[in-house]
Amino acid sequence: MGITIGVFDSGFGGLTVLRELLPLTPGAHYIYLGDTARLPYGSKSQTTIARYAVESARFLQARGAEHLVIACNTASALAMREIRESVEVPVTGVIEPVVDAAYHRHPNADVLVLATSATVQSHAYRLHCAGRGLRASEKACPLLVPLVEEGWVDHTVTRDVLRVYLREALTACSPEAVLLGCTHYPLIAPAIKATLDELDSRAEVIDSARATAIAIERAIQLSHPASAGRATFQCYATDSTEKFAHLGSQFLGQPIPAVELLDLGG
């Protein structure tokens, strides 16, 4: 029997991580939890974020998860210590894998991190980059998440917004790599790359979802030999299951046949 892996996010973005994981881990079973009733986490205090994330992590462990993926940048930035102390299984966030990927491809380089305002304000990426000898500039892009959730991944408005954000960022730095510090952003990675090209930047776009999936694959290979068969998944949401199934399918790249409603309290 394959390994059971829990994947947690405050909403839908973590499904881009699951999307990358499914073809990499034959025989694995994934339990995805989107805490949609309590998003956005970025507007909450660190204490509240940690409490929410710990509740979700404990639920996933109780459901049999043998490894946890915190596919939420806010929780990865502000609650990893509390999560790791609350469960008895390995935990991987989304910040370290993408920073490590940037380090291996562009050691001692200048990098640009695109993220939500809450993630930028935490400076978690800057600290992790500094630990790897990377010089990070951080750019908050608050309009991108609602545009992605609207389905405007290839829309003139999204391209216009990207042009403004990236032009502002590139006046302050000349990065060799651009790190996608939000799990919504992989859906607009082609538009980000096209806009960088338009602005005469040759920076490589490093997809956080892909980097995290590769890190998870390597970690579980060490402890769980690959099993035969396709990876499977089930989804829980703490708010409208219909909305989760509809919007989530855009992030996952395939239909979500069933979503179970979960009440984690206030």
Side-chain angles (χ1 to χ4, degrees):
M1 184 175 179
I3 186 173
T4 298
I5 301 172
V7 183
F8 160 70
D9 186 20
S10 59
F12 306 93
L15 289 165
T16 62
V17 178
L18 180 58
R19 179 178 185 165
E20 294 288 345
L21 278 165
L22 289 172
L24 290 180
T25 51
H29 178 64
Y30 290 92
I31 306 171
Y32 184 95
L33 170 56
D35 191 11
T36 46
R38 303 191 291 195
L39 60 76
Y41 277 18
S43 62
K44 310 294 193 300
S45 70
Q46 189 277 334
T47 300
T48 298
I49 292 165
R51 176 166 63 86
Y52 289 174
V54 164
E55 288 172 354
S56 296
R58 286 176 173 166
F59 168 79
L60 290 169
Q61 180 179 262
R63 295 293 297 173
E66 301 163 77
H67 194 119
L68 295 184
V69 183
I70 309 304
C72 172
N73 275 274
T74 302
S76 293
L78 298 173
M80 285 298 287
R81 178 180 60 82
E82 290 86 349
I83 294 168
R84 285 179 169 141
E85 290 175 353
S86 72
V87 296
E88 300 171 352
V89 298
V91 181
T92 302
V94 289
I95 296 177
E96 290 182 17
V98 71
V99 171
D100 285 348
Y103 165 74
H104 288 299
R105 297 182 201 179
H106 305 278
N108 304 312
D110 292 320
V111 300
L112 170 63
V113 180
L114 305 180
T116 64
S117 297
T119 298
V120 167
Q121 289 166 9
S122 76
H123 297 306
Y125 273 94
R126 182 186 296 174
L127 291 171
H128 278 84
C129 284
R132 282 299 212 169
L134 301 171
R135 297 172 297 277
S137 296
E138 298 168 301
K139 178 62 178 176
C141 306
L143 294 178
L144 294 184
V145 165
L147 288 170
V148 171
E149 293 196 353
E150 189 65 28
W152 290 8
V153 297
D154 185 23
H155 194 286
T156 54
V157 171
T158 303
R159 291 193 293 273
D160 288 344
V161 169
L162 279 172
R163 195 173 296 113
V164 171
Y165 284 148
L166 289 172
R167 184 178 288 119
E168 290 176 352
L170 293 174
T171 60
C173 66
S174 298
E176 293 184 31
V178 173
L179 282 56
L180 304 187
C182 173
T183 50
H184 281 63
Y185 297 175
L187 293 183
I188 54 172
I192 292 171
K193 178 58 179 172
T195 306
L196 288 167
D197 291 344
E198 177 187 324
L199 297 174
D200 296 321
S201 171
R202 302 280 79 84
E204 178 188 9
V205 175
I206 301 183
D207 184 333
S208 53
R210 180 68 177 171
T212 302
I214 291 172
I216 296 299
E217 179 200 21
R218 290 172 178 164
I220 66 175
Q221 278 181 345
L222 296 176
S223 57
H224 292 76
S227 301
R230 297 179 61 184
T232 58
F233 68 91
Q234 63 186 116
C235 292
Y236 291 86
T238 57
D239 200 0
S240 170
T241 56
E242 293 82 4
K243 179 180 179 181
F244 187 94
H246 173 70
L247 185 55
S249 65
Q250 300 176 39
F251 287 82
L252 190 59
Q254 62 177 281
I256 299 176
V259 182
E260 296 187 49
L261 184 64
L262 175 67
D263 183 4
L264 289 176

